[in-house]
Amino acid sequence: MASLEELRTIRIAKLDLLKKAGMEAYPAKIPRDFCLADARGNFKDYESSKKPVSISGRIMAIRGQGAILFVVLDDGKSTFQAVIKKDVLDSKLFELFTNAVDIGDIISVTGTFFTTNRGEQSISVASWTMASKSLLPLPEKWHGLTDPDEKFRKRYLDFIMDLESREIFKKKAKFWHVIRNFFEGHGFLEVETPTLEVTTGGAEARPFITHHNDFDMDVYLRISVGELWQKHLIASGFQKTFEIGRVYRNEGTSPEHAQEFTNLEFYWAYADYQDGMKLVQELYQIIAKEVFGTMKFSVKGHSFDLSGDWPSIDYAEEINKQTKIDINKADNNQLMKKIKELGIEYDGNNRERLVDTLWKYCRKNISGPVFLINHPILVAPLAKSIQGKEIVQMFQPIIAGSEIGKGYSELNDPIDQRKRFEAQKKLIESGDQEAMMSDLDFVEMLEHGMPPTCGFGFGDRLFTVLIGKPLRETQMFPLMKPKK
């Protein structure tokens, strides 16, 4: 079998053949009347007109030999068969095609449409021209890119060879389109907030740090879609806002985690977490119906139906039900003992991390859809508490063992918020790299008054769960380590 370099040398020789024949190998423009999907959709009209038309695409297969060749073209939207006959095409063009063209080349063909004896929609080629000569071969048709790393490094080849990969991203584009339409239809204003921040806010995660040369100071890439900024907008009189944007978290990689991904957050003045649950349920059901065409899913070993009203489950009660430990009464040593007993790997020994670790163990066993409610205050530093209790007005949709979003009645008591930031500061000082940074400008804003508000955020994970793929496979260009 020839090496890639040997194949490249052979193709460069074919490039020289094109040049000698006076044909550009990389022209700026080629004859093309319409895309291949249009060719298929309006085939009967084009066929009956008998008028010459021009179409183009990448050659995915060449069959036949001698006086007739069958060429499969693909332009990313559809495929179409070009039939090249020696007695129809100019002899020099026919000879040039057989000697200089390879699978992987992008060409334009001009001719008339007809239907073969086998019923295949085709074009009888009267002339052709090169659009882009490929110097390297495509992956083997039936196996494509089998190395996962190569699949992500060379997405262009993956998309050329694997129709399913292409369809994932067409569906993902529709996913965000449906979401944007939903919020605009419900009177929300789309906004843009900073991606570079002096302090990170809105989530508990390790940030990326970069340097602002002009101001000569370190800044952070945001870890939420402008949660604190959107609350500034709510305080200023905007009653409904949302943002779809990229967030960055300097954390580990897993089927559900990446360092860069797309999130949405909305904020709704004069609404509480119960209003938020109703809106989120409606949104998720519309996404399922319009993007996936079903309410019933089977993914990751879970089966669930998103239709109807979703029940709620209590945070502490669910942990007690699955692990037989009461997080409201157990001390840190008892929590650590239970975690070790269950064989769970964990990082950090402060109470917030221990409780969260137990919850994550339990979460994997819940198919849903359910709303998780009544979280302890210590795991929700920005949520309004339930009066007289150490729990907050927070909700999380749980689907297929995953948290698919987080929302709450926003804390708008500046004194309480300052205390919670101080508690988070102590966690940072104790070595917790995911604790939330204090934002005293935000506290000052609250001192001017922010109306009761419900906020909620979710991201790419919802799409990955519903389509049944790891997060990395639903990112067009996931970050990869450079090859050594």
Side-chain angles (χ1 to χ4, degrees):
M1 181 181 291
S3 67
L4 277 179
E5 192 54 42
E6 288 170 334
L7 292 173
R8 185 173 182 275
T9 299
I10 293 170
R11 292 195 177 204
I12 287 177
K14 294 181 178 182
L15 188 64
D16 290 337
L17 287 177
L18 291 169
K19 292 178 180 178
K20 288 176 183 177
M23 183 180 288
E24 286 189 73
Y26 306 101
K29 190 174 179 62
I30 56 169
R32 183 176 184 264
D33 293 321
F34 35 73
C35 69
L36 299 186
D38 189 11
R40 285 202 175 277
N42 297 287
F43 178 80
K44 288 185 178 179
D45 291 338
Y46 297 135
E47 181 182 31
S48 61
S49 73
K50 302 296 183 182
K51 292 181 179 179
V53 295
S54 298
I55 58 175
S56 63
R58 186 184 296 274
I59 297 175
M60 301 302 294
I62 301 175
R63 296 180 290 107
Q65 56 185 357
I68 185 169
L69 299 171
F70 298 92
V71 179
V72 177
L73 300 178
D74 186 333
D75 68 355
K77 286 192 171 183
S78 188
T79 60
F80 204 84
Q81 178 173 272
V83 179
I84 299 177
K85 295 181 178 181
K86 193 172 185 178
D87 59 356
V88 174
L89 189 62
D90 177 86
S91 60
K92 289 183 179 179
L93 276 178
F94 186 88
E95 183 180 354
L96 185 61
F97 187 94
T98 58
N99 292 328
V101 173
D102 293 289
I103 291 174
D105 292 351
I106 302 173
I107 65 170
S108 166
V109 296
T110 301
T112 53
F113 283 0
F114 76 105
T115 304
T116 67
N117 292 333
R118 294 186 176 183
E120 181 71 25
Q121 294 179 348
S122 305
I123 183 170
S124 177
V125 178
S127 66
W128 70 274
T129 187
M130 184 64 68
S132 181
K133 177 64 186 171
S134 64
L135 302 184
L136 291 173
L138 296 176
E140 200 279 317
K141 180 179 179 180
W142 302 111
H143 297 98
L145 293 172
T146 55
D147 182 337
D149 277 0
E150 286 297 282
K151 180 183 176 78
F152 296 131
R153 288 183 195 281
K154 299 178 181 177
R155 269 297 202 184
Y156 56 96
L157 291 179
D158 179 39
F159 293 148
I160 289 171
M161 302 304 297
D162 189 346
L163 180 60
E164 183 184 355
S165 286
R166 278 190 235 164
E167 290 303 314
I168 286 173
F169 293 96
K170 292 177 183 179
K171 195 175 287 285
K172 189 175 182 181
K174 186 175 182 180
F175 171 83
W176 288 114
H177 177 73
V178 167
I179 291 166
R180 179 172 276 108
N181 284 349
F182 176 87
F183 282 103
E184 289 178 347
H186 282 72
F188 285 77
L189 175 71
E190 185 168 10
V191 299
E192 292 182 335
T193 61
T195 57
L196 294 177
E197 301 182 314
V198 177
T199 60
T200 61
E204 294 183 349
R206 184 186 302 178
F208 284 96
I209 304 173
T210 188
H211 191 75
H212 193 301
N213 289 335
D214 189 31
F215 290 178
D216 190 23
M217 67 179 191
D218 286 343
V219 292
Y220 304 95
L221 296 181
R222 68 181 182 182
I223 59 175
S224 74
V225 191
E227 172 165 347
L228 302 189
W229 298 110
Q230 289 200 60
K231 290 178 190 176
H232 280 261
L233 294 175
I234 294 295
S236 71
F238 291 91
Q239 292 192 14
K240 291 181 175 183
T241 65
F242 79 98
E243 181 175 3
I244 299 171
R246 302 296 276 179
V247 296
Y248 309 88
R249 299 182 182 180
N250 198 358
E251 302 173 332
T253 302
S254 78
E256 290 191 353
H257 294 86
Q259 292 76 32
E260 177 185 5
F261 53 95
T262 302
N263 248 34
L264 171 139
E265 293 191 26
F266 75 78
Y267 292 85
W268 180 8
Y270 306 103
D272 68 1
Y273 77 118
Q274 293 180 332
D275 297 314
M277 281 192 279
K278 293 176 184 176
L279 187 69
V280 168
Q281 177 181 291
E282 180 187 355
L283 169 62
Y284 283 21
Q285 288 172 341
I286 285 176
I287 291 170
K289 181 180 178 181
E290 294 191 13
V291 180
F292 297 93
T294 183
M295 292 286 186
K296 296 180 179 180
F297 298 82
S298 292
V299 294
K300 299 194 322 181
H302 294 273
S303 295
F304 53 91
D305 185 343
L306 296 181
S307 62
D309 288 329
W310 303 353
S312 297
I313 60 173
D314 181 278
Y315 189 99
E317 288 178 4
E318 187 63 29
I319 292 176
N320 195 3
K321 175 183 173 182
Q322 292 198 39
T323 67
K324 309 303 180 188
I325 190 167
D326 187 342
I327 61 171
N328 295 318
K329 296 179 179 179
D331 60 26
N332 285 9
N333 289 330
Q334 290 172 313
L335 293 175
M336 282 190 284
K337 182 180 178 182
K338 175 58 70 172
I339 288 170
K340 291 177 181 178
E341 177 187 314
L342 295 170
I344 307 170
E345 292 185 10
Y346 69 101
D347 181 25
N349 57 9
N350 64 64
R351 189 168 186 82
E352 179 182 355
R353 291 286 162 258
L354 294 173
V355 170
D356 187 53
T357 296
L358 279 172
W359 157 246
K360 287 176 179 175
Y361 169 84
C362 299
R363 179 195 68 203
K364 296 175 183 177
N365 302 315
I366 302 171
S367 295
V370 299
F371 285 118
L372 180 70
I373 60 172
N374 296 337
H375 300 65
I377 286 178
L378 79 165
V379 301
L382 293 172
K384 185 182 287 291
S385 60
I386 294 177
Q387 192 169 12
K389 298 181 180 180
E390 291 297 308
I391 55 178
V392 293
Q393 297 181 34
M394 176 170 161
F395 67 100
Q396 288 180 285
I398 310 298
I399 301 173
S402 296
E403 296 168 0
I404 313 294
K406 179 188 293 185
Y408 32 79
S409 300
E410 301 292 343
L411 180 59
N412 61 347
D413 179 340
I415 296 173
D416 191 359
Q417 182 64 81
R418 187 183 293 271
K419 288 179 181 177
R420 297 205 206 175
F421 276 150
E422 289 171 355
Q424 291 291 307
K425 183 179 179 182
K426 290 179 181 178
L427 291 177
I428 292 173
E429 291 170 349
S430 69
D432 189 336
Q433 295 179 317
E434 295 186 2
M436 191 175 298
M437 295 181 189
S438 299
D439 188 332
L440 298 183
D441 287 340
F442 176 68
V443 175
E444 182 180 347
M445 179 276 290
L446 291 180
E447 290 184 345
H448 285 282
M450 184 183 83
T453 299
C454 174
F456 181 82
F458 71 96
D460 284 338
R461 186 182 298 167
L462 174 60
F463 179 77
T464 66
V465 166
L466 296 182
I467 204 168
K469 298 285 184 182
L471 179 59
R472 217 172 186 200
E473 287 191 27
T474 68
Q475 292 188 311
M476 273 191 167
F477 301 104
L479 183 65
M480 304 290 293
K481 282 185 178 181
K483 279 188 173 180
K484 294 181 180 179

